Amino acid sequence: MKRLVVVAALVGVTGCVTGSAVYRKPKEVPLGMLIGGTVADFVVTSLLVSGVTDYTVGASLATGAGVMGADVAVGCIFFNACSSLRP
């Protein structure tokens, strides 16, 4: 149960791509912000997981990749944040 709370808190804190799409209009999310949000998701989540839990480096990176993937998917599918990737 404790890990579920930590993961839920991490998703809420590090939703950079979804947050940028909600803050700005989806058509106005530039490619640089999309890339920066994706990198920030991965780095912040990996660092928080390694500091809060006793995960190994590989587990922390895998958790960061999972949360990053979930945030990018939610931001791109539901909030149209990836519109800058279209020609």
Side-chain angles (χ1 to χ4, degrees):
M1 183 66 175
K2 181 179 176 184
R3 290 185 184 179
L4 178 65
V5 171
V6 170
V7 170
L10 289 176
V11 170
V13 169
T14 62
C16 298
V17 175
T18 304
S20 66
V22 170
Y23 178 70
R24 300 180 70 134
K25 294 178 183 172
K27 302 284 184 190
E28 297 177 2
V29 178
L31 183 60
M33 184 178 281
L34 186 63
I35 292 171
T38 304
V39 171
D41 276 341
F42 180 72
V43 170
V44 170
T45 304
S46 298
L47 289 174
L48 283 174
V49 167
S50 69
V52 171
T53 62
D54 56 349
Y55 286 173
T56 62
V57 173
S60 297
L61 293 176
T63 304
V67 171
M68 176 196 67
D71 179 45
V72 170
V74 168
C76 290
I77 292 171
F78 295 114
F79 295 102
N80 201 19
C82 298
S83 61
S84 63
L85 297 176
R86 295 186 190 116

